[in-house]
Amino acid sequence: MSVTLNQINLTSTNLSQNLLSPISPQGTALDKDKVKQSEQEIMQIPTILVVDDEKDITYSLEFALKQEGYQVTTSHNGKEALDLIETKHFDLVILDLMLPGMNGFDVCKEVRGKGNAIPIIMLTAKTTEIDAVIGLELGADDYIPKPARIKELIARVRTRLRNSKVNSEISSQNEEEKITHIELGSLFIDLEGHEVKISGKIIDLTQREFELLKTLALNPNRVFDRNQLLEGVWGWSFIGESRTVDVHIRYLREKLEKDPANPDIIKTIRGIGYKLVPPVEG
């Protein structure tokens, strides 16, 4: 099943939080049911892997995350972290960049190379824009410099976990409906094969460029501001990194537009952001 301009219809999902119920010490059948229910609820508590070679930092983050009700595992080197990610289930990874044995860039690249879409928040003392762009191009979902403010980090963890659950539910819905591609005029997007064509010509896109184009294409003629795109594509919910959106929009235009300096497909709405206009066929 394909999604066309007239068929696109976004739905919103309301997420609810499960609360643990107290377990009675009595050995009745009802109590056993409560124990079983409690075990199921514990399995639903998000599990986070914190990877940093500085043990004081891992301890502080572990304590703060557990205070928020999360289950936490810690690791202090890249190879061990990669083994844990491959053998155990985690809902999110907080990954330091500078690690012994295998740095955070390489860990992220390996994880994404094996098709694992687990949310990854890069945590590092490096703060240059090029480091952030490299990490995000390798598949990281967010980027926060040290020293991390705990409240801000917790907020981003919540955002990434919420987005991950929504995206998972959307993916399941799409699979049930067998949505395989989007067609908007001469623009064709293969959602399963991650392939994009303009007038039959294959366009080579990076993962992030593909996700950005998909977000715009699922909402043709809708105007997005930069923070909405950061939140939707990168998972960033803070001001200050919006130039990343502009850079990727420029990359998309260079690959999609006949005249990138005067774009017809990805339009700039001055003072607001961007929108995708379905390209005319032919």
Side-chain angles (χ1 to χ4, degrees):
M1 176 180 174
S2 65
V3 177
T4 64
L5 178 59
N6 294 327
Q7 293 173 313
I8 292 176
N9 180 25
L10 298 182
T11 59
S12 60
T13 305
N14 292 323
L15 304 179
S16 59
Q17 181 179 8
N18 293 311
L19 301 177
L20 294 179
S21 302
I23 302 172
S24 169
Q26 303 301 320
T28 65
L30 180 60
D31 293 325
K32 290 179 180 179
D33 288 340
K34 288 183 178 180
V35 170
K36 184 176 180 180
Q37 179 183 358
S38 180
E39 289 174 346
Q40 291 173 342
E41 289 170 338
I42 290 173
M43 291 177 66
Q44 294 176 2
I45 298 174
T47 301
I48 297 172
L49 175 62
V50 176
V51 188
D52 198 303
D53 61 331
E54 298 183 54
K55 294 185 178 181
D56 288 345
I57 291 179
T58 55
Y59 174 80
S60 297
L61 293 180
E62 179 182 14
F63 178 81
L65 290 165
K66 284 184 175 180
Q67 288 292 102
E68 296 295 319
Y70 299 114
Q71 300 181 74
V72 181
T73 299
T74 62
S75 175
H76 304 293
N77 69 76
K79 289 183 179 179
E80 179 187 50
L82 188 59
D83 289 339
L84 286 170
I85 293 170
E86 291 177 350
T87 58
K88 296 185 178 181
H89 170 77
F90 296 99
D91 297 286
L92 182 141
V93 178
I94 298 174
L95 179 65
D96 185 32
L97 174 59
M98 304 303 292
L99 295 169
M102 183 182 233
N103 64 43
F105 285 150
D106 291 336
V107 172
C108 185
K109 185 177 179 180
E110 286 285 329
V111 170
R112 293 296 184 247
K114 294 180 180 179
N116 191 335
I118 182 173
I120 297 175
I121 298 177
M122 282 250 179
L123 180 67
T124 177
K126 287 196 171 186
T127 57
T128 63
E129 184 176 358
I130 187 64
D131 290 322
V133 171
I134 290 173
L136 293 165
E137 283 298 329
L138 289 174
D141 298 279
D142 205 344
Y143 184 96
I144 183 169
K146 292 180 179 178
R149 292 175 292 184
I150 293 299
K151 288 185 178 180
E152 181 182 358
L153 181 62
I154 294 296
R156 296 202 201 174
V157 166
R158 288 173 179 161
T159 297
R160 289 314 313 159
L161 289 172
R162 182 173 64 248
N163 288 352
S164 178
K165 184 171 182 179
V166 170
N167 290 338
S168 176
E169 291 173 353
I170 290 174
S171 296
S172 298
Q173 180 183 2
N174 288 348
E175 184 175 346
E176 291 175 1
E177 296 175 355
K178 299 188 183 302
I179 297 175
T180 58
H181 56 276
I182 301 169
E183 291 181 83
L184 297 172
S186 60
L187 175 63
F188 177 91
I189 303 175
D190 182 347
L191 298 177
E192 293 184 341
H194 276 234
E195 184 176 79
V196 175
K197 294 180 181 179
I198 286 283
S199 300
K201 179 184 177 182
I202 296 177
I203 307 298
D204 185 26
L205 300 180
T206 66
Q207 176 186 347
R208 201 65 67 177
E209 290 166 358
F210 183 88
E211 292 300 323
L212 179 57
L213 179 62
K214 182 176 75 172
T215 298
L216 293 168
L218 283 169
N219 303 270
N221 295 308
R222 173 184 168 183
V223 179
F224 287 88
D225 65 35
R226 290 168 178 81
N227 286 331
Q228 287 174 321
L229 292 172
L230 280 172
E231 176 72 17
V233 178
W234 284 268
W236 295 2
S237 57
F238 61 98
I239 299 173
E241 302 292 346
S242 61
R243 284 182 299 173
T244 300
V245 173
D246 298 332
V247 169
H248 283 77
I249 289 291
R250 187 177 77 243
Y251 292 160
L252 280 177
R253 284 172 170 167
E254 289 173 352
K255 296 179 179 182
L256 298 175
E257 303 278 3
K258 293 180 180 179
D259 181 3
N262 299 284
D264 294 319
I265 301 172
I266 301 178
K267 297 278 193 178
T268 298
I269 307 303
R270 193 172 299 278
I272 304 177
Y274 302 99
K275 72 175 181 179
L276 185 142
V277 178
V280 178
E281 295 189 53

